[in-house]
mmCIF file of all heavy atoms in Angstrom:
data_model
loop_
_atom_site.group_PDB
_atom_site.id
_atom_site.type_symbol
_atom_site.label_atom_id
_atom_site.label_comp_id
_atom_site.label_asym_id
_atom_site.label_seq_id
_atom_site.Cartn_x
_atom_site.Cartn_y
_atom_site.Cartn_z
ATOM 1 N N VAL A 1 -44.049 -4.176 -35.343
ATOM 2 C CA VAL A 1 -45.260 -4.824 -35.446
ATOM 3 C C VAL A 1 -46.361 -4.584 -34.354
ATOM 4 O O VAL A 1 -47.548 -4.213 -34.594
ATOM 5 C CB VAL A 1 -45.112 -6.405 -35.532
ATOM 6 C CG1 VAL A 1 -46.420 -7.078 -35.678
ATOM 7 C CG2 VAL A 1 -44.357 -6.716 -36.777
ATOM 8 N N GLN A 2 -45.915 -4.637 -33.182
ATOM 9 C CA GLN A 2 -46.831 -4.442 -31.923
ATOM 10 C C GLN A 2 -47.233 -3.022 -31.924
ATOM 11 O O GLN A 2 -48.459 -2.702 -31.710
ATOM 12 C CB GLN A 2 -46.070 -4.786 -30.693
ATOM 13 C CG GLN A 2 -45.804 -6.291 -30.542
ATOM 14 C CD GLN A 2 -44.716 -6.603 -29.474
ATOM 15 O OE1 GLN A 2 -44.583 -5.781 -28.636
ATOM 16 N NE2 GLN A 2 -44.309 -7.781 -29.500
ATOM 17 N N SER A 3 -46.412 -2.038 -32.161
ATOM 18 C CA SER A 3 -46.780 -0.615 -32.129
ATOM 19 C C SER A 3 -47.722 -0.235 -33.226
ATOM 20 O O SER A 3 -48.688 0.501 -32.982
ATOM 21 C CB SER A 3 -45.537 0.194 -32.232
ATOM 22 O OG SER A 3 -44.638 0.016 -31.054
ATOM 23 N N MET A 4 -47.524 -0.788 -34.435
ATOM 24 C CA MET A 4 -48.309 -0.455 -35.493
ATOM 25 C C MET A 4 -49.848 -0.955 -35.255
ATOM 26 O O MET A 4 -50.748 -0.380 -35.614
ATOM 27 C CB MET A 4 -47.871 -0.996 -36.898
ATOM 28 C CG MET A 4 -46.549 -0.369 -37.406
ATOM 29 S SD MET A 4 -46.728 1.224 -37.771
ATOM 30 C CE MET A 4 -45.153 1.757 -38.371
ATOM 31 N N GLU A 5 -49.876 -2.214 -34.682
ATOM 32 C CA GLU A 5 -51.179 -2.826 -34.407
ATOM 33 C C GLU A 5 -51.827 -2.085 -33.261
ATOM 34 O O GLU A 5 -53.031 -1.826 -33.326
ATOM 35 C CB GLU A 5 -51.048 -4.325 -34.073
ATOM 36 C CG GLU A 5 -50.601 -5.178 -35.344
ATOM 37 C CD GLU A 5 -50.394 -6.584 -35.056
ATOM 38 O OE1 GLU A 5 -50.362 -6.928 -33.819
ATOM 39 O OE2 GLU A 5 -50.266 -7.381 -35.932
ATOM 40 N N ARG A 6 -51.089 -1.758 -32.141
ATOM 41 C CA ARG A 6 -51.701 -1.143 -31.000
ATOM 42 C C ARG A 6 -52.047 0.344 -31.139
ATOM 43 O O ARG A 6 -53.092 0.793 -30.861
ATOM 44 C CB ARG A 6 -50.750 -1.295 -29.764
ATOM 45 C CG ARG A 6 -51.259 -0.618 -28.522
ATOM 46 C CD ARG A 6 -52.519 -1.309 -27.995
ATOM 47 N NE ARG A 6 -52.943 -0.702 -26.697
ATOM 48 C CZ ARG A 6 -53.858 0.236 -26.588
ATOM 49 N NH1 ARG A 6 -54.359 0.724 -27.734
ATOM 50 N NH2 ARG A 6 -54.235 0.722 -25.489
ATOM 51 N N ILE A 7 -51.068 1.003 -31.745
ATOM 52 C CA ILE A 7 -51.341 2.492 -31.907
ATOM 53 C C ILE A 7 -52.029 2.893 -33.162
ATOM 54 O O ILE A 7 -52.960 3.803 -32.972
ATOM 55 C CB ILE A 7 -49.922 3.269 -31.809
ATOM 56 C CG1 ILE A 7 -49.246 2.950 -30.457
ATOM 57 C CG2 ILE A 7 -50.117 4.752 -31.902
ATOM 58 C CD1 ILE A 7 -47.810 3.382 -30.380
ATOM 59 N N LEU A 8 -51.774 2.254 -34.188
ATOM 60 C CA LEU A 8 -52.405 2.648 -35.431
ATOM 61 C C LEU A 8 -53.481 1.721 -35.900
ATOM 62 O O LEU A 8 -54.265 2.033 -36.865
ATOM 63 C CB LEU A 8 -51.378 2.864 -36.610
ATOM 64 C CG LEU A 8 -50.222 3.848 -36.332
ATOM 65 C CD1 LEU A 8 -49.223 3.819 -37.520
ATOM 66 C CD2 LEU A 8 -50.844 5.162 -36.089
ATOM 67 N N GLY A 9 -53.556 0.573 -35.265
ATOM 68 C CA GLY A 9 -54.613 -0.440 -35.624
ATOM 69 C C GLY A 9 -54.443 -1.029 -37.109
ATOM 70 O O GLY A 9 -55.411 -1.437 -37.716
ATOM 71 N N LEU A 10 -53.164 -1.098 -37.455
ATOM 72 C CA LEU A 10 -52.856 -1.567 -38.825
ATOM 73 C C LEU A 10 -52.012 -2.899 -38.708
ATOM 74 O O LEU A 10 -51.224 -3.028 -37.785
ATOM 75 C CB LEU A 10 -52.090 -0.564 -39.597
ATOM 76 C CG LEU A 10 -52.793 0.766 -39.991
ATOM 77 C CD1 LEU A 10 -51.832 1.712 -40.556
ATOM 78 C CD2 LEU A 10 -54.024 0.405 -40.810
ATOM 79 N N HIS A 11 -52.311 -3.838 -39.650
ATOM 80 C CA HIS A 11 -51.523 -5.085 -39.741
ATOM 81 C C HIS A 11 -50.160 -4.758 -40.408
ATOM 82 O O HIS A 11 -50.184 -4.068 -41.323
ATOM 83 C CB HIS A 11 -52.311 -5.991 -40.494
ATOM 84 C CG HIS A 11 -51.640 -7.385 -40.606
ATOM 85 N ND1 HIS A 11 -51.569 -8.226 -39.546
ATOM 86 C CD2 HIS A 11 -51.101 -8.032 -41.631
ATOM 87 C CE1 HIS A 11 -50.983 -9.378 -39.962
ATOM 88 N NE2 HIS A 11 -50.699 -9.272 -41.215
ATOM 89 N N CYS A 12 -49.173 -5.357 -39.948
ATOM 90 C CA CYS A 12 -47.803 -4.956 -40.425
ATOM 91 C C CYS A 12 -47.154 -6.235 -41.019
ATOM 92 O O CYS A 12 -47.129 -7.323 -40.395
ATOM 93 C CB CYS A 12 -46.932 -4.562 -39.249
ATOM 94 S SG CYS A 12 -45.372 -3.857 -39.666
ATOM 95 N N CYS A 13 -46.587 -6.123 -42.137
ATOM 96 C CA CYS A 13 -45.772 -7.072 -42.818
ATOM 97 C C CYS A 13 -44.308 -6.618 -42.992
ATOM 98 O O CYS A 13 -44.174 -5.433 -43.583
ATOM 99 C CB CYS A 13 -46.339 -7.533 -44.188
ATOM 100 S SG CYS A 13 -47.906 -8.468 -44.132
ATOM 101 N N ILE A 14 -43.391 -7.389 -42.569
ATOM 102 C CA ILE A 14 -41.942 -7.006 -42.598
ATOM 103 C C ILE A 14 -41.063 -8.031 -43.319
ATOM 104 O O ILE A 14 -41.194 -9.265 -43.046
ATOM 105 C CB ILE A 14 -41.454 -6.708 -41.169
ATOM 106 C CG1 ILE A 14 -42.204 -5.587 -40.525
ATOM 107 C CG2 ILE A 14 -39.935 -6.340 -41.262
ATOM 108 C CD1 ILE A 14 -41.757 -5.169 -39.193
ATOM 109 N N GLY A 15 -40.173 -7.506 -44.131
ATOM 110 C CA GLY A 15 -39.164 -8.463 -44.666
ATOM 111 C C GLY A 15 -37.731 -7.866 -44.302
ATOM 112 O O GLY A 15 -37.524 -6.670 -44.353
ATOM 113 N N ALA A 16 -36.849 -8.778 -43.971
ATOM 114 C CA ALA A 16 -35.502 -8.381 -43.587
ATOM 115 C C ALA A 16 -34.492 -8.979 -44.655
ATOM 116 O O ALA A 16 -34.565 -10.248 -44.919
ATOM 117 C CB ALA A 16 -35.188 -8.929 -42.254
ATOM 118 N N GLY A 17 -33.641 -8.214 -45.071
ATOM 119 C CA GLY A 17 -32.601 -8.645 -46.126
ATOM 120 C C GLY A 17 -31.435 -9.236 -45.388
ATOM 121 O O GLY A 17 -31.362 -9.224 -44.210
ATOM 122 N N ARG A 18 -30.541 -9.696 -46.248
ATOM 123 C CA ARG A 18 -29.266 -10.226 -45.638
ATOM 124 C C ARG A 18 -28.440 -9.173 -45.013
ATOM 125 O O ARG A 18 -28.432 -8.004 -45.445
ATOM 126 C CB ARG A 18 -28.586 -11.091 -46.667
ATOM 127 C CG ARG A 18 -27.841 -10.259 -47.688
ATOM 128 C CD ARG A 18 -27.385 -11.165 -48.853
ATOM 129 N NE ARG A 18 -28.505 -11.582 -49.654
ATOM 130 C CZ ARG A 18 -28.656 -12.835 -50.038
ATOM 131 N NH1 ARG A 18 -27.798 -13.779 -49.760
ATOM 132 N NH2 ARG A 18 -29.686 -13.228 -50.823
ATOM 133 N N VAL A 19 -27.544 -9.591 -44.148
ATOM 134 C CA VAL A 19 -26.544 -8.633 -43.564
ATOM 135 C C VAL A 19 -25.344 -8.465 -44.523
ATOM 136 O O VAL A 19 -24.907 -9.442 -45.109
ATOM 137 C CB VAL A 19 -25.963 -9.182 -42.256
ATOM 138 C CG1 VAL A 19 -24.992 -8.261 -41.647
ATOM 139 C CG2 VAL A 19 -27.167 -9.300 -41.237
ATOM 140 N N THR A 20 -24.910 -7.154 -44.651
ATOM 141 C CA THR A 20 -23.760 -6.909 -45.561
ATOM 142 C C THR A 20 -22.747 -6.038 -44.845
ATOM 143 O O THR A 20 -23.073 -5.476 -43.868
ATOM 144 C CB THR A 20 -24.190 -6.194 -46.836
ATOM 145 O OG1 THR A 20 -23.052 -5.853 -47.648
ATOM 146 C CG2 THR A 20 -24.879 -4.851 -46.457
ATOM 147 N N ASP A 21 -21.514 -6.249 -45.194
ATOM 148 C CA ASP A 21 -20.398 -5.582 -44.462
ATOM 149 C C ASP A 21 -19.915 -4.320 -45.117
ATOM 150 O O ASP A 21 -18.967 -3.757 -44.734
ATOM 151 C CB ASP A 21 -19.220 -6.514 -44.354
ATOM 152 C CG ASP A 21 -18.632 -6.966 -45.673
ATOM 153 O OD1 ASP A 21 -19.190 -6.549 -46.705
ATOM 154 O OD2 ASP A 21 -17.626 -7.668 -45.732
ATOM 155 N N ALA A 22 -20.717 -3.834 -46.171
ATOM 156 C CA ALA A 22 -20.310 -2.601 -46.802
ATOM 157 C C ALA A 22 -21.464 -1.746 -47.242
ATOM 158 O O ALA A 22 -22.523 -2.321 -47.611
ATOM 159 C CB ALA A 22 -19.499 -2.948 -48.043
ATOM 160 N N LEU A 23 -21.369 -0.421 -47.114
ATOM 161 C CA LEU A 23 -22.492 0.477 -47.492
ATOM 162 C C LEU A 23 -22.710 0.333 -49.022
ATOM 163 O O LEU A 23 -23.862 0.439 -49.399
ATOM 164 C CB LEU A 23 -22.066 1.899 -47.173
ATOM 165 C CG LEU A 23 -22.252 2.390 -45.661
ATOM 166 C CD1 LEU A 23 -21.556 3.702 -45.445
ATOM 167 C CD2 LEU A 23 -23.788 2.559 -45.477
ATOM 168 N N SER A 24 -21.684 0.096 -49.766
ATOM 169 C CA SER A 24 -21.871 -0.056 -51.250
ATOM 170 C C SER A 24 -22.674 -1.310 -51.577
ATOM 171 O O SER A 24 -22.977 -1.428 -52.832
ATOM 172 C CB SER A 24 -20.464 -0.100 -51.838
ATOM 173 O OG SER A 24 -19.680 -1.175 -51.312
ATOM 174 N N LYS A 25 -23.027 -2.179 -50.627
ATOM 175 C CA LYS A 25 -23.756 -3.388 -50.934
ATOM 176 C C LYS A 25 -25.108 -3.441 -50.351
ATOM 177 O O LYS A 25 -25.807 -4.480 -50.499
ATOM 178 C CB LYS A 25 -22.996 -4.569 -50.410
ATOM 179 C CG LYS A 25 -21.582 -4.897 -50.953
ATOM 180 C CD LYS A 25 -20.899 -6.011 -50.316
ATOM 181 C CE LYS A 25 -19.526 -6.326 -50.903
ATOM 182 N NZ LYS A 25 -18.790 -7.343 -50.077
ATOM 183 N N ILE A 26 -25.568 -2.284 -49.746
ATOM 184 C CA ILE A 26 -26.844 -2.326 -49.120
ATOM 185 C C ILE A 26 -28.015 -2.464 -50.154
ATOM 186 O O ILE A 26 -29.114 -2.839 -49.781
ATOM 187 C CB ILE A 26 -27.099 -1.042 -48.233
ATOM 188 C CG1 ILE A 26 -27.185 0.170 -48.993
ATOM 189 C CG2 ILE A 26 -26.039 -1.065 -47.086
ATOM 190 C CD1 ILE A 26 -27.609 1.322 -48.142
ATOM 191 N N PHE A 27 -27.721 -2.105 -51.482
ATOM 192 C CA PHE A 27 -28.723 -2.322 -52.462
ATOM 193 C C PHE A 27 -29.223 -3.879 -52.430
ATOM 194 O O PHE A 27 -30.325 -4.143 -52.667
ATOM 195 C CB PHE A 27 -28.140 -2.013 -53.877
ATOM 196 C CG PHE A 27 -28.942 -2.486 -54.927
ATOM 197 C CD1 PHE A 27 -30.117 -1.726 -55.391
ATOM 198 C CD2 PHE A 27 -28.682 -3.683 -55.687
ATOM 199 C CE1 PHE A 27 -30.931 -2.082 -56.459
ATOM 200 C CE2 PHE A 27 -29.436 -4.045 -56.738
ATOM 201 C CZ PHE A 27 -30.575 -3.263 -57.115
ATOM 202 N N GLU A 28 -28.208 -4.814 -52.249
ATOM 203 C CA GLU A 28 -28.524 -6.162 -52.236
ATOM 204 C C GLU A 28 -29.465 -6.582 -51.075
ATOM 205 O O GLU A 28 -30.436 -7.278 -51.304
ATOM 206 C CB GLU A 28 -27.241 -7.080 -52.165
ATOM 207 C CG GLU A 28 -26.329 -6.744 -53.351
ATOM 208 C CD GLU A 28 -24.968 -7.451 -53.104
ATOM 209 O OE1 GLU A 28 -24.784 -8.152 -52.089
ATOM 210 O OE2 GLU A 28 -24.003 -7.294 -53.925
ATOM 211 N N SER A 29 -29.132 -5.984 -49.975
ATOM 212 C CA SER A 29 -30.005 -6.203 -48.740
ATOM 213 C C SER A 29 -31.371 -5.615 -48.956
ATOM 214 O O SER A 29 -32.441 -6.171 -48.545
ATOM 215 C CB SER A 29 -29.344 -5.638 -47.536
ATOM 216 O OG SER A 29 -30.121 -6.008 -46.326
ATOM 217 N N TYR A 30 -31.473 -4.425 -49.592
ATOM 218 C CA TYR A 30 -32.743 -3.838 -49.991
ATOM 219 C C TYR A 30 -33.595 -4.679 -50.826
ATOM 220 O O TYR A 30 -34.780 -4.913 -50.593
ATOM 221 C CB TYR A 30 -32.519 -2.484 -50.538
ATOM 222 C CG TYR A 30 -33.712 -1.780 -51.078
ATOM 223 C CD1 TYR A 30 -34.736 -1.384 -50.287
ATOM 224 C CD2 TYR A 30 -33.763 -1.430 -52.528
ATOM 225 C CE1 TYR A 30 -35.835 -0.737 -50.847
ATOM 226 C CE2 TYR A 30 -34.895 -0.858 -53.032
ATOM 227 C CZ TYR A 30 -35.881 -0.515 -52.190
ATOM 228 O OH TYR A 30 -37.005 0.160 -52.692
ATOM 229 N N GLN A 31 -32.974 -5.233 -51.881
ATOM 230 C CA GLN A 31 -33.690 -6.101 -52.770
ATOM 231 C C GLN A 31 -34.223 -7.373 -52.073
ATOM 232 O O GLN A 31 -35.375 -7.801 -52.242
ATOM 233 C CB GLN A 31 -32.863 -6.554 -53.977
ATOM 234 C CG GLN A 31 -32.440 -5.312 -54.889
ATOM 235 C CD GLN A 31 -33.750 -4.832 -55.600
ATOM 236 O OE1 GLN A 31 -34.716 -5.588 -55.994
ATOM 237 N NE2 GLN A 31 -33.879 -3.452 -55.565
ATOM 238 N N ASP A 32 -33.330 -7.900 -51.240
ATOM 239 C CA ASP A 32 -33.739 -9.052 -50.365
ATOM 240 C C ASP A 32 -35.018 -8.819 -49.510
ATOM 241 O O ASP A 32 -35.903 -9.605 -49.408
ATOM 242 C CB ASP A 32 -32.651 -9.517 -49.505
ATOM 243 C CG ASP A 32 -31.485 -10.168 -50.203
ATOM 244 O OD1 ASP A 32 -31.784 -10.594 -51.372
ATOM 245 O OD2 ASP A 32 -30.387 -10.288 -49.676
ATOM 246 N N SER A 33 -34.976 -7.492 -48.848
ATOM 247 C CA SER A 33 -35.992 -7.256 -48.008
ATOM 248 C C SER A 33 -37.395 -7.116 -48.682
ATOM 249 O O SER A 33 -38.338 -7.416 -48.092
ATOM 250 C CB SER A 33 -35.609 -5.867 -47.257
ATOM 251 O OG SER A 33 -35.759 -4.780 -48.061
ATOM 252 N N ILE A 34 -37.343 -6.554 -49.845
ATOM 253 C CA ILE A 34 -38.608 -6.491 -50.661
ATOM 254 C C ILE A 34 -39.164 -7.888 -50.954
ATOM 255 O O ILE A 34 -40.269 -8.166 -50.749
ATOM 256 C CB ILE A 34 -38.319 -5.756 -51.990
ATOM 257 C CG1 ILE A 34 -37.979 -4.327 -51.700
ATOM 258 C CG2 ILE A 34 -39.553 -5.726 -52.852
ATOM 259 C CD1 ILE A 34 -37.544 -3.463 -52.973
ATOM 260 N N THR A 35 -38.303 -8.752 -51.370
ATOM 261 C CA THR A 35 -38.653 -10.185 -51.691
ATOM 262 C C THR A 35 -39.207 -10.871 -50.459
ATOM 263 O O THR A 35 -40.308 -11.484 -50.491
ATOM 264 C CB THR A 35 -37.436 -10.914 -52.157
ATOM 265 O OG1 THR A 35 -36.880 -10.452 -53.377
ATOM 266 C CG2 THR A 35 -37.879 -12.489 -52.368
ATOM 267 N N ALA A 36 -38.548 -10.627 -49.314
ATOM 268 C CA ALA A 36 -39.071 -11.251 -48.081
ATOM 269 C C ALA A 36 -40.340 -10.632 -47.652
ATOM 270 O O ALA A 36 -41.259 -11.330 -47.084
ATOM 271 C CB ALA A 36 -37.984 -11.101 -46.924
ATOM 272 N N MET A 37 -40.531 -9.314 -47.749
ATOM 273 C CA MET A 37 -41.761 -8.568 -47.381
ATOM 274 C C MET A 37 -42.974 -9.059 -48.217
ATOM 275 O O MET A 37 -44.046 -9.336 -47.639
ATOM 276 C CB MET A 37 -41.531 -7.132 -47.500
ATOM 277 C CG MET A 37 -42.772 -6.275 -47.088
ATOM 278 S SD MET A 37 -42.686 -4.567 -47.579
ATOM 279 C CE MET A 37 -42.848 -4.711 -49.357
#
């Protein structure tokens, strides 16, 4: 967030998905991150 604002002058919105214990489940965290973003 700080680097995007300071270096590029852009406002940054970030969403973080849930933590998963398997690579085969990162799709779920990806969908969560979009919802949160």
Side-chain angles (χ1 to χ4, degrees):
V1 171
Q2 293 166 13
S3 297
M4 292 297 181
E5 291 180 347
R6 176 67 178 92
I7 300 174
L8 301 181
L10 295 174
H11 183 73
C12 186
C13 289
I14 297 182
R18 73 190 73 224
V19 176
T20 179
D21 61 357
L23 276 165
S24 55
K25 298 178 183 177
I26 63 172
F27 169 80
E28 300 171 7
S29 185
Y30 171 60
Q31 292 297 315
D32 286 343
S33 72
I34 296 174
T35 299
M37 182 191 68

